[in-house]
Amino acid sequence: MPKKSYRQILVGRLMSGMIGLDELFGELFEAGRAPDETLVPELLARAGEDNYIPSAAKADYGAALLREYRKY
Protein backbone atom coordinates (compact mmCIF):
# COMPACT_ATOMS: atom_id res chain seq x y z
CA MET A 1 0.00 0.00 0.00
CA PRO A 2 1.52 3.35 -1.00
CA LYS A 3 2.31 5.84 1.71
CA LYS A 4 -0.32 8.56 2.02
CA SER A 5 0.41 12.27 2.22
CA TYR A 6 0.54 14.14 5.52
CA ARG A 7 -0.27 17.78 6.10
CA GLN A 8 -1.19 20.02 8.98
CA ILE A 9 -4.29 22.18 8.74
CA LEU A 10 -5.77 24.81 11.01
CA VAL A 11 -8.93 23.45 12.66
CA GLY A 12 -10.59 26.11 14.75
CA ARG A 13 -7.62 27.65 16.54
CA LEU A 14 -5.43 24.52 16.61
CA MET A 15 -3.19 22.83 14.07
CA SER A 16 -4.18 19.25 13.30
CA GLY A 17 -2.14 16.68 11.40
CA MET A 18 -4.11 14.78 8.78
CA ILE A 19 -3.28 11.85 6.53
CA GLY A 20 -4.37 11.40 2.92
CA LEU A 21 -5.78 14.85 2.14
CA ASP A 22 -3.75 15.32 -1.05
CA GLU A 23 -5.09 12.03 -2.41
CA LEU A 24 -8.65 12.87 -1.34
CA PHE A 25 -8.56 16.36 -2.86
CA GLY A 26 -7.02 14.98 -6.06
CA GLU A 27 -9.83 12.45 -6.46
CA LEU A 28 -12.50 15.08 -5.84
CA PHE A 29 -10.86 17.50 -8.29
CA GLU A 30 -10.54 14.83 -10.99
CA ALA A 31 -14.23 14.01 -10.51
CA GLY A 32 -15.08 17.69 -11.05
CA ARG A 33 -16.51 18.20 -7.57
CA ALA A 34 -17.05 21.88 -6.79
CA PRO A 35 -15.80 23.13 -3.40
CA ASP A 36 -19.17 24.13 -1.97
CA GLU A 37 -21.00 23.47 1.30
CA THR A 38 -22.72 20.34 -0.05
CA LEU A 39 -19.32 18.62 -0.16
CA VAL A 40 -18.67 18.94 3.61
CA PRO A 41 -20.36 15.63 4.63
CA GLU A 42 -18.32 13.71 2.04
CA LEU A 43 -15.11 15.46 3.08
CA LEU A 44 -15.74 14.53 6.71
CA ALA A 45 -16.64 10.93 5.88
CA ARG A 46 -13.71 10.30 3.58
CA ALA A 47 -11.13 12.15 5.70
CA GLY A 48 -12.47 10.27 8.72
CA GLU A 49 -11.46 6.95 7.14
CA ASP A 50 -7.78 7.71 7.86
CA ASN A 51 -8.09 10.32 10.62
CA TYR A 52 -9.82 10.68 13.95
CA ILE A 53 -12.40 13.48 13.82
CA PRO A 54 -14.03 14.13 17.21
CA SER A 55 -17.82 14.43 17.11
CA ALA A 56 -17.71 17.71 19.03
CA ALA A 57 -15.39 19.24 16.43
CA LYS A 58 -17.05 18.07 13.20
CA ALA A 59 -18.20 21.59 12.28
CA ASP A 60 -14.67 22.96 12.71
CA TYR A 61 -13.16 20.07 10.74
CA GLY A 62 -15.76 20.44 8.00
CA ALA A 63 -14.98 24.14 7.61
CA ALA A 64 -11.22 23.47 7.64
CA LEU A 65 -11.43 20.66 5.07
CA LEU A 66 -13.58 22.75 2.74
CA ARG A 67 -11.17 25.69 3.07
CA GLU A 68 -8.20 23.43 2.27
CA TYR A 69 -9.97 21.89 -0.72
CA ARG A 70 -10.69 25.37 -2.07
CA LYS A 71 -6.97 26.16 -1.78
CA TYR A 72 -6.13 22.91 -3.58
Side-chain angles (χ1 to χ4, degrees):
M1 181 156 135
K3 192 171 184 175
K4 292 188 176 185
S5 63
Y6 174 83
R7 70 162 69 187
Q8 290 189 326
I9 65 171
L10 185 63
V11 179
R13 297 184 321 176
L14 301 172
M15 293 300 287
S16 179
M18 300 200 74
I19 296 170
L21 293 186
D22 291 337
E23 293 81 3
L24 171 58
F25 295 160
E27 289 174 18
L28 293 171
F29 183 78
E30 288 294 321
R33 299 295 303 272
D36 57 30
E37 295 293 326
T38 61
L39 191 57
V40 170
E42 183 175 353
L43 287 168
L44 286 169
R46 293 185 61 189
E49 292 173 4
D50 293 318
N51 302 280
Y52 173 67
I53 299 176
S55 296
K58 284 200 185 255
D60 289 338
Y61 272 87
L65 289 167
L66 185 60
R67 181 187 66 240
E68 293 298 317
Y69 180 51
R70 284 179 175 149
K71 287 181 188 178
Y72 181 84

